[in-house]
Amino acid sequence: MTELHLWLRHEVRSTERRTPLVPSDARRLVEAGATLTVEASPQRIFPIEQYEAAGCAVAPAGSWVAEAPREAVVVGLKELPDEPGALTHRHVYFGHAYKQQPGAPELLRRFAAGGGALLDLEYLVDDQGRRLAAFGYWAGYLGAALAVLQHRGRLTAPLTPTSQQELEEVLRPVAGDEEFTALVVGALGRSGRGARVALRAAGLDPTCWDLDETRNLDRPALLAHDLLVNCVLATSPVPPFVREEDLDDPARRLRTLSDVTCDVGSPLNVLPVYDRVTEWTEPVRRLHKEPPLDLIAIDNLPSLLPEESSTGFSGSLLPLLLEFGTGGPWGRCLERFRQACRELGIEEGEARRV
């Protein structure tokens, strides 16, 4: 591999337990010739000692700002801290900045100001546009699992990280549980597959919709289900699945809505009936009193199964990091960043030297 310095940063979000790179895969990168610096992080599911044993250098949390060499590639998952105002490095993480989300223009201008670049993991795709590294399966799994627990009155807060085995033990139906219907929209994708697995672990046989069923949406049929798990991430405008006027519909049976996608704030949001996500401390929000409708919309669901989800994601990301460069998937990432900058009137030359 060409000379590569990766800098695995600490996550500023207190509920983020995941990592994009687990120690065993870090070892493979070091053995392949990469330099890997890992910031200490008390919340990361894997302790820093495992990275040290894998041959990584260790740095204090947040030190990338002042200490990471300019050529280093800073790797993370969720949002960056608000400072510095000018971002000089290439950053690999989920930026959520290309679909007019709140704060997106300000983030992209921070990169332009420092000559850095966003290599957004959501846009790390093959030449057919398929995602190459994703947490979707576990997001769908957890979105469905939490919805079932809420619908059965067994969801407790605050949420805490667990394991798949422990979660499935509480998902199993018990005597006295009422039967109900569940619908997964986007059932054929990664998230939809995870949602279906969780619902079946809970003893349910969900209705499964995908493109064919949503192309000409049967909204009354959708609202006739008791529980809905949305796994659709729209890339072009589509009619919303649930509208404000649907909340007042007395015929609505839908009582629990789990939005795995959490595309809140985007004009492409297929569930424009809420304006902010829910949190681990308060995972459920009542959207409507009568007939009742409860919402779960947590935007880092896989962090509730941090070891399983990190291991799967890291395994997908590793071969891409081993081939890191300006072509292929990484080149497509960079071009998508430059396109977003051009849409804001930022000159390409400002948007990095890569």
Side-chain angles (χ1 to χ4, degrees):
M1 76 172 8
T2 57
E3 186 174 340
L4 175 65
H5 187 172
L6 298 172
W7 191 289
L8 183 61
R9 64 176 169 87
H10 161 74
E11 298 288 336
V12 295
R13 187 184 297 204
S14 62
T15 58
E16 190 50 75
R17 302 288 309 283
R18 295 171 295 172
T19 177
L21 192 61
V22 302
S24 58
D25 291 334
R27 180 184 297 278
R28 292 183 61 185
L29 280 163
V30 171
E31 290 173 347
T35 298
L36 184 51
T37 302
V38 180
E39 292 186 357
S41 177
Q43 65 209 40
R44 189 186 295 125
I45 186 63
F46 296 97
I48 193 66
E49 290 79 10
Q50 292 187 18
Y51 290 95
E52 285 186 285
C56 303
V58 174
S63 58
W64 64 267
V65 174
E67 297 181 18
R70 183 174 172 82
E71 68 275 8
V73 180
V74 181
V75 182
L77 286 176
K78 302 300 285 186
E79 63 271 11
L80 296 173
D82 293 336
E83 296 294 334
L87 297 167
T88 61
H89 298 93
R90 289 168 289 179
H91 282 261
V92 174
Y93 76 110
F94 292 101
H96 303 298
Y98 298 161
K99 293 189 293 183
Q100 303 177 41
Q101 294 99 325
E106 292 79 8
L107 175 63
L108 293 176
R109 289 192 174 97
R110 288 173 68 191
F111 280 107
L118 168 60
L119 300 175
D120 196 309
L121 287 165
E122 185 177 337
Y123 297 85
L124 189 61
V125 298
D126 64 15
D127 55 10
Q128 301 298 313
R130 291 184 291 258
R131 296 264 302 270
L132 295 173
F135 285 99
Y137 175 88
W138 292 110
Y141 181 94
L142 282 153
L146 297 184
V148 169
L149 295 177
Q150 170 63 18
H151 203 83
R152 288 176 173 164
R154 295 205 287 272
L155 185 63
T156 58
L159 301 177
T160 56
T162 185
S163 69
Q164 183 180 10
Q165 180 179 354
E166 291 173 341
L167 183 55
E168 290 193 351
E169 288 176 1
V170 298
L171 272 179
R172 295 190 187 103
V174 298
D177 281 344
E178 295 183 2
E179 293 186 1
F180 61 92
T181 58
L183 169 64
V184 179
V185 186
L188 299 183
R190 287 189 183 95
S191 296
R193 182 164 56 90
R196 287 184 281 125
V197 169
L199 291 169
R200 286 169 183 148
L204 300 169
D205 184 15
T207 303
C208 298
W209 288 4
D210 209 82
L211 287 175
D212 289 343
E213 293 82 6
T214 55
R215 189 173 288 113
N216 295 299
L217 185 70
D218 186 344
R219 189 171 285 106
L222 182 151
L223 298 174
H225 289 81
D226 299 297
L227 181 151
L228 168 63
V229 183
N230 173 53
C231 298
V232 172
L233 180 64
T235 56
S236 59
V238 298
F241 298 160
V242 181
R243 308 161 302 180
E244 286 287 346
E245 55 263 40
D246 297 323
L247 304 187
D248 294 314
D249 186 346
R252 170 174 58 81
R253 285 187 56 182
L254 184 64
R255 296 293 182 266
T256 305
L257 173 60
S258 180
D259 188 9
V260 173
T261 303
C262 290
D263 213 10
V264 61
S266 166
L268 302 181
N269 185 11
V270 297
L271 295 172
V273 291
Y274 70 100
D275 59 3
R276 66 189 191 282
V277 297
T278 61
E279 307 289 345
W280 288 27
T281 52
E282 296 183 33
V284 182
R285 180 181 308 127
R286 179 143 292 187
L287 290 181
H288 202 265
K289 187 174 181 180
E290 288 296 335
L293 179 61
D294 291 330
L295 169 75
I296 298 171
I298 296 170
D299 65 358
N300 66 334
L301 282 167
S303 196
L304 290 165
L305 290 178
E307 184 169 354
E308 294 93 336
S309 62
S310 295
T311 300
F313 186 87
S314 179
S316 298
L317 186 62
L318 173 64
L320 300 168
L321 291 174
L322 287 169
E323 298 295 330
F324 186 87
T326 58
W330 297 108
R332 286 187 281 272
C333 265
L334 181 60
E335 178 51 37
R336 185 62 185 89
F337 165 70
R338 288 172 168 165
Q339 177 187 337
C341 289
R342 289 194 295 269
E343 290 168 356
L344 288 175
I346 299 171
E347 293 296 327
E348 183 174 332
E350 299 176 55
R352 174 115 184 140
R353 64 208 183 279
V354 180

